[in-house]
Amino acid sequence: MFIKFKTSSQIQYIVGKWLRNSFWLVVLLVACQQKIEQQVPVFHFEDPFDTSDTSVVFQERKVFDQDSILFTDNQFDGARINDFERLDDTTFLVTITPENEPINPSPWYAFRVWSKEPGTYYFKMNYGSFRHRYYPMISSDGESWVNLDSGLVQYDSGNFSSFKLELTKDTLWVAGQHVISSNKVAQWAVDLAREGRLKFDVIGQSKLGRRLVCLKYLNPNSKGTVVVLSRQHPPEVTGYRAMQFFMDELLHHELSDAFFDRYNLLIYPCINPDGVDHGHWRHSAGGVDLNRDWGEYLQTEVKQVVKDIYKETSTAPVILGIDFHSTYRDVFYTNDTITSYDYVKEDWFSYMEKTINNYEVNEKSSAIKRPVSKSWFYAAFGAQGITYEVGDNTIDSLIELKGRASARGILMSLTKSR
Ligand SMILES: [Zn+2]
């Protein structure tokens, strides 16, 4: 259908009216946008960090061909190898550099290697001025990983320096931990959601356009929310794996129904998908440690997670926030501030000590001073905030035992009548 205008003044009138309406529409949208921004409170902690973007150097993705005899590559998500040189017939130098500096000394490496001439080859690790952190693991398929036999690892003056590998033309994966890309995390979340209790959600995109995935259980009658975070720091895979066991127990225990009758659950399993897939040591694509951005949210990943948490907890505030990480040993970092939910932590830790043989919880409390997630859970909600740290070398059976015991302790605490 066509509308005919008799005079140009009619056209001018309609165009003018449309422009005026559009102007007010834009004003309204800007106002709404500002209102949304204002709804997320920012917090100025005593020890602030500058978390504005800094530049990042991305590794060149390629096959490193050494005289067409030995090959390595970093052409997969989570890989990191920055340079590869031949030192002599059978010895090679693997250079691993960080995405930017200054940075926490967590030299992450992950690469594939194969040889046209089967034999024993030596790999010397070069982290520049940084010290070694991750013991080498190997895999034939990138899925199942085992520690490299200690007899194949060499130490100079007590420090890790190199390892040797028996290579064939078949690809061998070598990495500092299991390689778990952002897509693998998303697939884990999708599979868990298929069971029916949790809803899979994509809350937005990372700086480089990767999905920020979430699992949610939202019941309008719930009185509180438990929040779970993981992979702020890309190589901290033992923490991520503890989170998987923790979630499995939380969802499949005999007390699970009683828990979900009372509480909501939000899980953000991969907060730094760009860092994970680019094989970063620590930082986001914005070049920032995301676990220093929980005050002003200058990094888009933290900002979107914070907004989503506020959005989903207006009637069921956060009572407990657990952020899974890895470090040199198993430790729970807690806030030294008294909250209304201290009983959850006390029940949880005492349950672990009662049920795990010869186990004493290693808790380190500190004042709320830095813009880390555990501080934010308290500042934003008065909630119990806990950084659940798993040792880099904690064995699988202990990761599972403690992850499941943690979930059971929390289930028992939060389903007890008080
Ligand atoms: Zn960490």
Side-chain angles (χ1 to χ4, degrees), residues 133 232-233 236 282 289 291 324-327 387 389:
R133 175 165 173 182
Q232 292 206 74
H233 297 149
E236 297 182 1
R282 181 96 169 171
D289 182 341
N291 203 26
F324 286 83
H325 288 252
S326 308
T327 186
T387 311
E389 297 270 7

Side-chain angles (χ1 to χ4, degrees), residues 44-64:
H44 301 286
F45 292 96
E46 201 178 317
D47 292 342
F49 281 81
D50 179 3
T51 53
S52 45
D53 276 10
T54 60
S55 60
V56 158
V57 177
F58 294 103
Q59 67 195 309
E60 187 187 353
R61 302 279 193 166
K62 62 188 261 194
V63 175
F64 297 84

